[in-house]
Amino acid sequence: MNNQVVKGKGQAERLIKQHELSGGVEGIFGQDAKLHDKGILDASNHVFNVLRDMYPSLSFRLRTTISKAEINQKLSNLDSRLGQTLFVDKSNIKPDGGVIEVKDRHGQWRIVLVSESKHQGNDIPKIKAGIKQGVKKDQDLMVAGNAIERVHKNILEFRNLMLDEKHFPYVVFLQGSNFATETIYIDTPDGRKVEISHNKGNLNRIDRVTASNYGMAINQNYCENIYLNDIKLQVASLYFQCSVWNIESMVDVLLDIAKTSMDVLAVDL
């Protein structure tokens, strides 16, 4: 499923109104939305289907990849100095949840939603199972790694692609013990309580990611660009929690971001 095109209709306000009238995510998707083992691509597909149903007179597509060549072409169209360097012709970007786009009245595809989901930190299930970690297998907690910092690359790529837009619908769900927003205690099989601290540098990695939202508050919708005098900020919407994100929560957030995108784009649809 690299390229799906469907039809959709209506004013931007209808998306959120329909969502509310149907009783939220559960009303739209029923019991299927409660399957917590679904991933971000499933959540994105749900939102894609809602957009299809809500806007039958508009064309939507869901792409799983965006080529670097396309990004460079977009930059070059804005200014000939931009988008000039590309060593690997087939290089591309693959957001976990894909990219939902709508065709505007000028025949141009406009991005409505980009979504990703990242996991780092498996301490909680291992503590609950009594599994020790570390080289000597004598630790309750594993020192956090830096793999999650790769999330910045895709955000920067889409900022390049959307440099001329008034919105930036990029959402990342981050989950795992490295993203605790409050200190919690986990019971071990032998009756001990292990602390998962939210403010210790050897475990928490939230501060490694918030460079992509300018250090603004987390778990908020920043789809619409922010302007500081002549400076435009394209802010990634970063959602953190220690436990696994379920599909209901993800779809709620994604629908909110998509609604904001449709509001911003409404003048061109």
Side-chain angles (χ1 to χ4, degrees):
M1 178 196 59
N2 186 48
N3 198 8
Q4 281 183 276
V5 179
V6 295
K7 302 290 180 180
K9 144 181 172 184
Q11 298 300 319
E13 292 83 359
R14 292 185 57 195
L15 177 62
I16 195 65
K17 287 180 180 177
Q18 175 69 17
H19 182 222
E20 292 169 347
L21 289 173
S22 63
V25 178
E26 185 173 350
I28 295 174
F29 305 120
Q31 293 302 312
D32 288 343
K34 294 180 177 295
L35 299 178
H36 294 175
D37 59 345
K38 294 284 187 177
I40 184 63
L41 186 55
D42 298 281
S44 181
N45 268 297
H46 281 317
V47 173
F48 178 76
N49 289 328
V50 170
L51 292 170
R52 174 198 62 190
D53 294 339
M54 298 307 300
Y55 302 88
S57 68
L58 296 177
S59 294
F60 291 88
R61 69 181 181 184
L62 172 59
R63 290 199 283 171
T64 57
T65 63
I66 301 288
S67 70
K68 282 279 292 182
E70 178 180 339
I71 296 173
N72 275 12
Q73 184 61 58
K74 179 68 176 292
L75 288 168
S76 179
N77 290 342
L78 295 175
D79 189 293
S80 60
R81 294 170 294 182
L82 307 179
Q84 297 303 308
T85 302
L86 182 64
F87 285 88
V88 182
D89 291 340
K90 295 184 178 180
S91 179
N92 55 55
I93 314 303
K94 297 181 178 181
D96 302 317
V99 182
I100 297 176
E101 297 168 291
V102 63
K103 182 178 286 189
D104 67 19
R105 58 190 174 88
H106 307 291
Q108 300 299 310
W109 287 105
R110 311 286 291 277
I111 294 177
V112 173
L113 184 66
V114 186
S115 55
E116 298 210 80
S117 178
K118 303 299 182 185
H119 179 96
Q120 185 169 302
N122 295 310
D123 298 287
I124 293 176
K126 291 187 176 182
I127 292 169
K128 289 181 177 180
I131 299 173
K132 293 289 187 177
Q133 304 184 77
V135 176
K136 298 181 179 179
K137 302 299 181 184
D138 60 352
Q139 303 171 201
D140 290 312
L141 303 174
M142 177 66 74
V143 174
N146 298 319
I148 197 63
E149 294 183 22
R150 291 197 296 266
V151 74
H152 295 297
K153 175 184 177 294
N154 279 7
I155 291 173
L156 290 174
E157 295 283 12
F158 275 89
R159 279 181 179 160
N160 287 340
L161 184 60
M162 300 188 69
L163 191 60
D164 60 339
E165 293 282 14
K166 296 180 180 179
H167 69 305
F168 189 63
Y170 201 105
V171 189
V172 188
F173 297 96
L174 302 109
Q175 60 194 18
S177 53
N178 293 167
F179 303 115
T181 57
E182 60 182 5
T183 297
I184 61 174
Y185 296 87
I186 307 300
D187 293 322
T188 67
D190 60 7
R192 295 182 300 115
K193 289 186 179 293
V194 177
E195 179 183 293
I196 303 289
S197 177
H198 73 292
N199 56 7
K200 291 185 178 178
N202 66 334
L203 186 62
N204 196 289
R205 286 294 181 263
I206 292 178
D207 289 341
R208 303 288 181 95
V209 186
T210 52
S212 287
N213 79 339
Y214 304 96
M216 297 177 68
I218 61 174
N219 298 349
Q220 292 191 28
N221 175 354
Y222 293 115
C223 178
E224 194 164 358
N225 292 342
I226 295 172
Y227 294 86
L228 304 177
N229 296 321
D230 295 329
I231 302 173
K232 179 174 76 173
L233 302 183
Q234 294 170 294
V235 185
S237 299
L238 306 176
Y239 288 79
F240 298 88
Q241 68 180 34
C242 193
S243 58
V244 175
W245 285 95
N246 63 59
I247 192 169
E248 293 175 285
S249 298
M250 288 193 293
V251 171
D252 260 337
V253 170
L254 296 180
L255 280 171
D256 186 44
I257 300 291
K259 182 263 179 181
T260 306
S261 291
M262 297 299 286
D263 284 346
V264 173
L265 293 172
V267 66
D268 291 324
L269 299 180

